[in-house]
Amino acid sequence: MKKILLSLVASLLIGFPTVFATGNGTVENTYTFKSADEEVALDVQRGTGEVKLHILVKDMSQYDHIIIERSAETPNYFGKCKYISCAEVKSHNGYMLQIDRYPYSANKDVYYRIKTVTKDGIERAYPAVLLASAAQ
């Protein structure tokens, strides 16, 4: 019985650190979230006093600008939150992190969505992403 317990503890001690090892000591964010047409994707997270907007754009060169919109408690009436000029923004493999520094109250459900405008002037609004209230 002691041998089984000792071998179990030894395997946990050996295996546990290797699960969290990253090779070079850094954690790399690789976002692979999907959208309906796999052109753009959005993921939102609450920070301390701000909301982090993780945006993934397949081909940034085809867009003139991107608008992030938000709506409190209902996905019906959106207002502009962020304007991103595609010529000026720096992205890493299509990924960029934007910050909403003046978010709605954390006690409310908030919906965020992406609206793209191509260089030809074509506008597309993508489905909204829910940021659930912190009270839940």
Side-chain angles (χ1 to χ4, degrees):
M1 184 69 176
K2 283 186 177 184
K3 288 182 181 181
I4 294 172
L5 183 61
L6 186 58
S7 64
L8 180 63
V9 170
S11 65
L12 285 175
L13 288 175
I14 293 170
F16 188 74
T18 59
V19 170
F20 296 103
T22 59
N24 60 1
T26 61
V27 177
E28 184 176 321
N29 290 333
T30 55
Y31 288 96
T32 58
F33 37 92
K34 300 284 185 179
S35 69
D37 62 357
E38 296 186 10
E39 289 295 319
V40 298
L42 173 68
D43 186 36
V44 293
Q45 292 178 324
R46 286 197 195 280
T48 53
E50 62 190 20
V51 173
K52 295 178 182 179
L53 308 165
H54 302 278
I55 303 166
L56 189 62
V57 180
K58 187 174 183 179
D59 182 15
M60 187 75 78
S61 66
Q62 70 180 350
Y63 300 111
D64 181 61
H65 62 275
I66 297 171
I67 300 169
I68 306 297
E69 298 178 324
R70 66 181 175 196
S71 175
E73 296 185 349
T74 174
N76 296 330
Y77 303 103
F78 283 91
K80 289 183 182 177
C81 173
K82 284 278 186 189
Y83 178 91
I84 303 165
S85 174
C86 294
E88 297 172 3
V89 73
K90 292 184 178 24
S91 66
H92 180 68
N93 293 332
Y95 168 77
M96 67 183 116
L97 174 66
Q98 295 289 317
I99 304 293
D100 181 5
R101 298 199 190 284
Y102 306 102
Y104 288 127
S105 170
N107 295 329
K108 295 182 178 183
D109 287 342
V110 181
Y111 293 89
Y112 285 87
R113 75 174 180 187
I114 294 178
K115 186 183 276 187
T116 59
V117 180
T118 64
K119 292 182 178 182
D120 299 334
I122 299 169
E123 291 185 21
R124 272 192 199 100
Y126 289 86
V129 174
L130 171 66
L131 179 62
S133 70
Q136 294 178 358

